[in-house]
Amino acid sequence: MLNFESDYLEGAHEKILARLVETNQEKLSGYGRDKYSASAIDKIRQATLCPEAEIYFISGGTLTNALVIASLLKKYEGVIAPETGHITTHETGAIEFSGHKVLSLPQTNGKISAEQIREYLEQFWADDNREFMVFPGMVYLSHPTEYGTLYSQEELKMISAVCQQYKIPLFLDGARLGYGLVSPESDLSLPQIAEYCDVFYIGGTKVGALLGEAIVFTKKNTPDYFIAHMKQQGALLAKGRLLGLQFDTLFTNQLYFQISQHAIDMAMRLKQGLLAKNYRFYLDSPTNQQFVILENNQMEELKQQVAFSFWEKYDEQHTVIRFATSWATKQTEIDELLALL
């Protein structure tokens, strides 16, 4: 059975597993105060060209999103996000559970624009009834988006300028950030993301780690007593070494970017093979997620041999499905899938 259901199906890169075994018997301080976490923080600061960055390691993406958003917002504030954003659709109301509303905006290929955000903010502040409304307190984006699309440098720069004008933070969900950074169509670098965003995170769970995300506050803007926020929400691991060591490994000798490139190479091989067979794509994704339109009967037949993600109904006869490659996808798996199609 071939499986392209998601990009976190495998365990961890072998170099991470080797270092976990090598360091297993070491006695290290807890809660991220160990030498490997300190080394990882230093390497991420170097990679982002942001020496003042404050970095924290969290176990998973939903917890990261909920923690960052809840700690940055006031009680009466909500977060602006695309209607297809992960916090809007696939996190079971985690943001609302924290007492904050997701203020969703219409999307185009998974993205929202600076113009949309500005218009929303202008209308809010022009409304005489705003004291009875949820205040827009920050902006949430993901890169890549839920549709595998990318923000350009200019788009992110313009959104950042709007956020600065209205004095609200810009938060970028980087669960798949590695795959976005190495995409052939990306013109955004890690230092540029650090420049334009007030906070973002570097995804490890989907990019080679057993688990883990690295939150990066870039403007000396970490909420007061952030460790207390982490502890209160169950996000502070006693064995913080497990997260720090993985990111220390991922950011040694460009490993994070190398394995991300492999996933993109596999996705592009799949994409070219599907184009050669005249398959239709729902949209043009330059990253590791490829969205294909299949006839319903063909989709049901393919299910017998291949695992993939249902995305949405296209029409009565067709469905959009997603194939996701990862850092560990094998070329033989791509070729087998293409043979079945």
Side-chain angles (χ1 to χ4, degrees):
M1 184 81 170
L2 295 172
N3 198 328
F4 293 88
E5 195 172 7
S6 193
D7 38 21
Y8 53 80
L9 303 176
E10 298 89 0
H13 192 276
E14 56 269 20
K15 289 186 178 180
I16 286 176
L17 293 177
R19 291 199 71 196
L20 287 170
V21 171
E22 289 166 7
T23 62
N24 187 52
Q25 294 295 326
E26 291 185 33
K27 299 186 192 309
L28 299 169
S29 298
Y31 303 110
R33 298 189 181 99
D34 60 281
K35 61 184 180 182
Y36 298 114
S37 295
S39 177
I41 288 170
D42 183 58
K43 288 175 182 176
I44 291 172
R45 284 172 174 162
Q46 292 178 42
T48 57
L49 300 182
C50 188
E52 68 275 16
E54 297 166 292
I55 298 160
Y56 302 85
F57 301 111
I58 308 293
S59 61
T62 298
L63 181 57
T64 298
N65 287 333
L67 176 67
V68 169
I69 290 169
S71 65
L72 284 172
L73 291 181
K74 299 180 177 67
K75 288 185 177 181
Y76 52 84
E77 291 179 328
V79 52
I80 296 172
E83 61 188 351
T84 52
H86 208 264
I87 63 170
T88 317
T89 58
H90 291 151
E91 292 189 353
T92 325
I95 306 308
E96 287 82 356
F97 186 74
S98 71
H100 301 282
K101 186 176 182 179
V102 177
L103 307 167
S104 61
L105 296 181
Q107 54 83 28
T108 301
N109 292 337
K111 300 193 292 184
I112 55 176
S113 68
E115 182 180 353
Q116 282 179 283
I117 297 166
R118 185 187 301 279
E119 182 179 350
Y120 186 94
L121 292 166
E122 285 176 350
Q123 289 178 356
F124 174 84
W125 287 106
D127 194 323
D128 289 339
N129 293 312
R130 62 180 176 271
E131 289 185 353
F132 307 107
M133 300 161 64
V134 176
F135 281 59
M138 66 187 298
V139 171
Y140 164 96
L141 309 174
S142 54
H143 184 82
T145 69
E146 296 302 293
Y147 285 91
T149 52
L150 300 171
Y151 286 92
S152 68
Q153 179 185 348
E154 185 61 23
E155 286 172 327
L156 192 62
K157 182 179 180 180
M158 291 173 65
I159 292 172
S160 176
V162 173
C163 291
Q164 289 177 29
Q165 179 185 348
Y166 283 88
K167 297 185 169 119
I168 60 175
L170 174 58
F171 171 38
L172 188 141
D173 176 332
R176 295 184 169 95
L177 186 58
Y179 303 136
L181 290 171
V182 303
S183 167
E185 294 188 18
S186 175
D187 68 349
L188 262 177
S189 67
L190 199 51
Q192 288 167 337
I193 288 172
E195 177 184 353
Y196 298 132
C197 296
D198 297 282
V199 55
F200 69 97
Y201 73 91
I202 301 168
T205 301
K206 293 179 171 70
V207 193
L210 276 172
L211 74 167
E213 326 296 321
I215 302 173
V216 185
F217 290 97
T218 62
K219 310 287 190 297
K220 297 184 179 178
N221 57 336
T222 304
D224 291 339
Y225 307 110
F226 189 66
I227 293 292
H229 285 278
M230 291 171 61
K231 184 68 171 176
Q232 189 176 60
Q233 296 192 42
L236 187 63
L237 288 185
K239 294 184 180 180
R241 60 189 284 169
L242 298 178
L243 300 177
L245 181 66
Q246 292 185 80
F247 277 94
D248 187 53
T249 305
L250 287 171
F251 279 83
T252 297
N253 297 326
Q254 300 290 307
L255 179 63
Y256 188 73
F257 303 96
Q258 291 168 11
I259 63 177
S260 295
Q261 184 64 60
H262 174 78
I264 297 299
D265 291 345
M266 293 299 98
M268 294 305 105
R269 184 180 183 88
L270 174 61
K271 186 176 186 177
Q272 292 306 313
L274 290 171
L275 286 171
K277 290 173 176 280
N278 297 316
Y279 277 91
R280 288 190 297 161
F281 289 80
Y282 182 59
L283 47 73
D284 185 15
S285 166
T287 58
N288 71 312
Q289 302 178 83
Q290 296 298 314
F291 300 87
V292 184
I293 302 169
L294 291 185
E295 291 184 354
N296 294 339
N297 290 339
Q298 184 184 16
M299 179 185 70
E300 293 301 324
E301 290 177 7
L302 191 63
K303 278 184 182 178
Q304 307 307 311
Q305 300 179 76
V306 181
F308 49 82
S309 294
F310 163 85
W311 210 249
E312 59 187 75
K313 283 289 183 183
Y314 185 75
D315 57 31
E316 290 300 316
Q317 290 78 38
H318 299 83
T319 300
V320 180
I321 68 168
R322 182 190 72 174
F323 297 117
T325 60
S326 81
W327 58 274
T329 300
K330 298 179 178 63
Q331 182 174 312
T332 54
E333 294 173 318
I334 299 295
D335 295 341
E336 287 177 37
L337 175 59
L338 289 171
L340 289 171
L341 290 165

